[in-house]
Amino acid sequence: MKLLGTLSSSFVNGDGVRYVVFCQGCAHHCPGCHNPDSWNFNGGFDISVEALARDILRHTHIDGVTLSGGDPFFQHDECVKLLRILPPYFNIWIYTGFDYSKIRNTELA
């Protein structure tokens, strides 16, 4: 999985205390994007889904996980794999630039 970075304690990326995953890579290039450094698909760093899940799970104070970017839907399969590892009581937020009609039939939607 390619990441720009993570935040282990965010109060502004969804409800409660959140672990935020900033995925690397985005082709939308939305005006006003707050993470243009995440656009380059060759940037960031690689991490296994399992290693990321271990890091998330060691933070016992969090209420949920936010997938941001870049755009998580460009790494759909990896994000689905990650979410299947996480406990079902986490609430999940996903930020995307895709129109819902394009993603509504995906496992991540």
Side-chain angles (χ1 to χ4, degrees):
M1 191 167 189
K2 281 280 223 191
L3 300 185
L4 173 66
T6 63
L7 288 175
S8 61
S9 293
S10 172
F11 298 93
V12 297
N13 289 283
D15 290 339
V17 182
R18 312 198 60 78
Y19 188 105
V20 184
V21 177
F22 294 99
C23 296
Q24 183 71 40
C26 185
H28 301 302
H29 300 183
C30 299
C33 174
H34 67 274
N35 288 326
D37 290 344
S38 69
W39 293 355
N40 183 346
F41 286 91
N42 297 314
F45 63 94
D46 292 310
I47 186 170
S48 72
V49 171
E50 295 79 10
L52 179 57
R54 280 193 303 274
D55 190 55
I56 293 169
L57 292 171
R58 72 183 185 87
H59 293 88
T60 58
H61 65 284
I62 62 174
D63 301 305
V65 173
T66 299
L67 301 178
S68 191
D71 194 310
F73 280 86
F74 285 109
Q75 297 188 63
H76 176 274
D77 294 347
E78 293 86 352
C79 289
V80 167
K81 185 176 176 183
L82 173 66
L83 296 180
R84 286 184 177 152
I85 296 171
L86 299 179
Y89 57 83
F90 277 168
N91 72 53
I92 306 298
W93 286 38
I94 303 172
Y95 288 96
T96 183
F98 281 99
D99 184 272
Y100 185 66
S101 66
K102 304 275 190 221
I103 61 170
R104 71 173 164 231
N105 295 321
T106 68
E107 288 184 78
L108 207 51

